[in-house]
């Protein structure tokens, strides 16, 4: 046993014979004494190996690769708190440039072409952006109701198979979430379904550009047109919010003619995750409004900033500035053409994988990587007679380090289990080729009647 005296490290000791290395790490209470940083660093590196390899995590939409310049900027910005607009005015300026760049990318009526600044802000991710955009919808609806002398106590939000952030928004801010069931054969909300769900208490409709489950786009323009018709026929003026967490950084580059953004007058606000296909490091999202009228003034707090006025809108207070600086770096470094090339390469690779999966035999493709996100998804054609499940296949692939999730579709289609692979910046063609080989080998193994019966792996979306 070491006493307190002996646990003072010998500077010449090997990393793995230092006192802290020779026992399990403290897990419930802080140790009494300090330990050498290089030893603790190495021990934590070893522990983190158990997390698996982010590059082989084909379940996540989020950035898992960064170049050295991004790492250096993140390091440089370690001490910058983005909320201190007067202490770090240039970081605030860079955030504002990013908002304007996105407003122009998404065709906001204000933005680069206008003297007026675009209306928007950075957030920690799409979830915070969704909360802010949802609150703006709720505030505007309440103002309309009060002005009309009507009750404003039962707001609802209409959407399809949304990501969990909208369920959070509804619960945290006391709004009824009216989730429209997915019709057989469909992968998201469809325009013709809206009428049964929208009423005078609807604060807005959410359309998703890049449904989490299937990676397809909901038909935003058709949904907008249906809401236009509804207004003509009934007088109900229901705003549309687009959850473009993934698609907001894909569609402008790969599907420039698709009208899903502020080109549609019905679209009041848009959120996107800079840390997904925006390619910025984890921890940045964006919320943009079409114009000042779409963002109620009383949601904005005003901070003095170099003698001027800096409006702020956020759920959190302190937040790192590096992700926003890295986002601006990526805008400048890649430009529109760079983003297009990166995403096109990913889409080509996803389509390449989809073709191979289709040829493997047991699968039916649900999404082949064309028209929406760079991804592929499939299901077992005949689960009853295959003798193994997609969960078994996920387990087999996990033995080689691949994280390929299997999960049921949202309610009303939950009997369909699917498998999904996302191809993003840093996932290369050869890697996907190796995955396909491992899939063929795993199928052969499973067909011989060796389903791996370990627990199902977790899936986070
Ligand atoms: C990922 C995702 C979110 C949540 O975004 P975060 O940036 O992880 O908070 C919301 N909606 C959709 C459609 C998503 O794909």
């Amino acid at each position: 046993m070491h006493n307190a005296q002996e646990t003072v490290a010998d500077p010449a000791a090997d990393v793995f014979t230092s006192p802290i290395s020779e026992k399990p790490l403290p897990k419930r209470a802080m140790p009494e004494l300090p330990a050498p940083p290089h030893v603790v660093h190495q021990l934590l590196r070893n522990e983190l190996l158990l997390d698996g390899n982010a590059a082989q995590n084909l379940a996540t939409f989020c950035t898992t690769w960064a170049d050295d310049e991004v790492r250096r900027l993140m390091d440089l910005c370690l001490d910058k708190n983005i909320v201190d607009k007067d202490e770090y005015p240039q970081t605030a300026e860079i955030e504002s440039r990013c908002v304007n760049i996105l407003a122009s990318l998404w065709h906001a009526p204000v933005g680069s072409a206008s003297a007026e600044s675009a209306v928007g802000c950075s957030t920690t991710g799409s979830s915070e952006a969704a909360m802010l955009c949802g609150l703006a919808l709720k505030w505007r609806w309440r103002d309309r109701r009060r002005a009309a002398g009507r009750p404003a106590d039962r707001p609802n939000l209409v959407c399809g198979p949304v990501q969990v952030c909208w369920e959070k928004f509804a619960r945290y801010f006391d709004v009824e979430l009216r989730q429209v069931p997915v019709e057989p054969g469909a992968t998201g909300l469809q325009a013709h379904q809206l009428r049964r769900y929208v009423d005078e208490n609807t604060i807005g409709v959410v359309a998703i550009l890049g449904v989490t489950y299937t990676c397809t786009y909901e038909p935003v323009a058709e949904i907008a047109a249906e809401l236009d018709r509804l207004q003509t026929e009934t007088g109900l003026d229901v705003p549309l919010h687009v959850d473009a967490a993934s698609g907001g950084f894909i569609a402008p580059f790969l599907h420039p003619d698709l009208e899903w953004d502020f080109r549609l007058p019905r679209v009041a606000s848009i959120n996107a995750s800079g840390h997904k296909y925006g390619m910025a490091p984890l921890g940045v999202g964006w919320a943009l409004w079409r114009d000042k009228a779409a963002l109620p003034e009383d949601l904005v707090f005003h901070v003095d900033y170099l003698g001027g006025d800096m409006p702020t809108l956020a759920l959190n207070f302190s937040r790192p500035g590096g992700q926003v600086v890295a986002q601006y770096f990526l805008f400048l470094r890649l430009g529109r053409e760079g983003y297009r090339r990166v995403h096109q390469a990913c889409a080509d690779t996803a389509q390449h994988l989809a073709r191979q999966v289709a040829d493997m035999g047991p699968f039916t493709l649900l999404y082949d990587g064309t028209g929406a996100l760079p991804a592929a998804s499939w299901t077992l054609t005949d689960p009853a007679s295959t003798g193994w499940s997609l969960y078994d296949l996920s387990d087999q692939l996990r033995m080689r380090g691949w994280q390929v999730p299997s999960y049921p579709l949202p309610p009303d289609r939950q009997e369909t289990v699917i498998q999904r692979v996302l191809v993003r910046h840093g996932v290369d063609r050869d890697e996907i080729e190796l995955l396909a080989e491992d899939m063929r080998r795993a199928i052969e193994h499973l067909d011989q009647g060796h389903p791996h019966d370990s627990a199902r792996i977790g899936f986070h979306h």
Side-chain angles (χ1 to χ4, degrees):
M1 281 311 284
H2 298 282
N3 62 33
Q5 212 58 42
E6 286 168 335
T7 57
V8 175
D10 164 9
D14 178 82
V15 169
F16 297 101
T17 61
S18 204
I20 195 170
S21 317
E22 298 195 303
K23 286 182 286 185
L25 289 176
K27 296 190 176 64
R28 302 266 167 196
M30 204 185 289
E32 281 308 319
L33 293 175
H38 72 285
V39 175
V40 178
H41 180 85
Q42 183 60 50
L43 295 178
L44 288 182
R45 285 186 81 106
N46 282 8
E47 175 153 7
L48 290 173
L49 286 174
L50 296 179
D51 270 344
N53 174 5
Q56 280 185 295
N57 176 0
L58 300 174
T60 184
F61 292 89
C62 293
T63 305
T64 52
W65 187 86
D67 50 28
D68 285 341
E69 287 81 5
V70 165
R71 289 173 194 274
R72 294 212 303 274
L73 284 172
M74 291 295 284
D75 196 33
L76 187 73
C77 295
L78 194 73
D79 53 1
K80 288 186 198 291
N81 186 349
I82 202 163
V83 81
D84 289 336
K85 313 257 183 206
D86 51 350
E87 282 166 49
Y88 308 110
Q90 225 44 42
T91 303
E93 160 67 19
I94 285 174
E95 176 185 19
S96 155
R97 287 180 202 167
C98 288
V99 168
N100 279 286
I101 285 171
L102 290 173
S104 124
L105 198 65
W106 298 337
H107 304 96
V110 292
S112 62
S114 148
E116 216 180 324
S117 228
V119 187
C121 59
S122 72
T123 59
T124 46
S126 274
S127 300
E128 186 187 9
M131 304 297 145
L132 299 175
C133 293
L135 282 170
L137 292 177
K138 185 176 171 181
W139 256 237
R140 285 176 61 204
W141 166 82
R142 206 171 52 189
D143 289 347
R144 285 196 302 275
R145 297 287 290 172
R146 282 177 181 161
R150 311 274 296 154
D153 55 348
R154 306 199 56 195
N156 70 68
L157 181 70
V158 173
C159 61
V162 283
Q163 207 262 0
V164 67
C165 70
W166 292 103
E167 294 173 38
K168 276 192 191 169
F169 165 73
R171 199 173 309 165
Y172 292 175
F173 297 106
D174 212 9
V175 171
E176 178 201 347
L177 193 67
R178 293 199 177 156
Q179 266 187 291
V180 179
V182 181
E183 287 187 346
T187 56
L189 181 64
Q190 297 176 90
H192 71 86
Q193 297 179 288
L194 282 175
R195 282 184 190 240
R196 284 185 46 207
Y197 297 88
V198 170
D199 61 24
E200 59 177 9
N201 287 319
T202 303
I203 64 170
V205 171
V206 175
I208 318 166
L209 202 74
V211 176
T212 319
Y213 301 92
T214 49
C215 302
T216 52
Y217 295 159
E218 285 182 341
V220 185
E222 287 172 30
I223 289 169
E226 175 67 1
L227 291 173
D228 290 345
R229 279 191 294 274
L230 198 72
Q231 183 174 8
T232 314
E233 290 165 28
T234 68
L236 284 180
D237 182 6
V238 180
L240 182 58
H241 171 83
V242 184
D243 178 353
S246 301
F249 283 101
I250 293 290
F253 307 109
L254 295 190
H255 317 109
D257 297 330
L258 183 76
E259 297 208 337
W260 64 275
D261 53 15
F262 294 119
R263 279 168 286 182
L264 303 170
R266 182 65 52 184
V267 173
S269 48
I270 297 173
N271 71 271
S273 297
H275 57 216
K276 289 184 175 174
Y277 293 102
M279 300 188 231
L282 271 174
V284 63
W286 300 96
L288 264 77
W289 287 267
R290 126 170 256 105
D291 50 29
K292 285 210 168 83
L295 176 62
E297 186 53 31
D298 54 355
L299 287 175
V300 181
F301 289 77
H302 290 269
V303 182
D304 277 343
Y305 152 64
L306 289 182
D309 166 64
M310 176 56 93
T312 84
L313 173 59
L315 295 183
N316 224 62
F317 190 69
S318 299
R319 191 157 55 81
Q323 287 85 341
V324 166
V325 174
Q327 183 79 81
Y328 187 51
F329 165 82
L330 286 155
F331 288 165
L332 299 182
R333 181 258 176 279
L334 290 170
R336 283 181 183 245
E337 181 58 16
Y339 267 91
R340 198 195 62 73
R341 284 187 205 166
V342 168
H343 292 332
Q344 189 60 55
C346 291
D348 292 346
T349 297
Q351 289 156 20
H352 177 74
L353 174 66
R355 282 191 296 275
Q356 297 204 47
V357 168
D359 287 343
M360 287 177 195
F363 308 115
T364 301
L365 284 181
L366 288 180
Y367 176 59
D368 71 354
T370 38
L373 304 184
S377 68
W378 55 87
T379 183
L380 268 184
T381 310
D382 187 5
S385 68
T386 308
W388 45 269
S389 69
L390 288 178
Y391 297 105
D392 296 322
L393 180 57
S394 288
D395 288 345
Q396 287 289 319
L397 294 173
R398 189 64 187 253
M399 285 194 245
R400 288 272 288 172
W402 302 110
Q403 298 186 43
V404 177
S406 300
Y407 54 92
L409 286 181
D412 300 295
R413 289 203 62 194
Q414 74 270 50
E415 72 293 346
T416 306
V417 174
I418 82 166
Q419 212 159 52
R420 182 192 74 185
V421 162
L422 296 167
V423 182
R424 54 181 190 275
H425 195 205
V427 176
D428 62 87
R429 184 63 73 96
D430 187 60
E431 186 183 343
I432 289 297
E433 202 62 44
L434 296 173
L435 168 72
E437 264 172 49
D438 281 344
M439 282 182 74
R440 282 186 285 266
R441 208 171 297 130
I443 291 168
E444 208 174 297
H445 179 78
L446 290 167
D447 279 344
Q448 286 161 8
H450 308 295
H452 181 68
D453 60 2
S454 78
R456 291 169 176 192
I457 61 168
F459 166 61
H460 308 277
H461 57 72

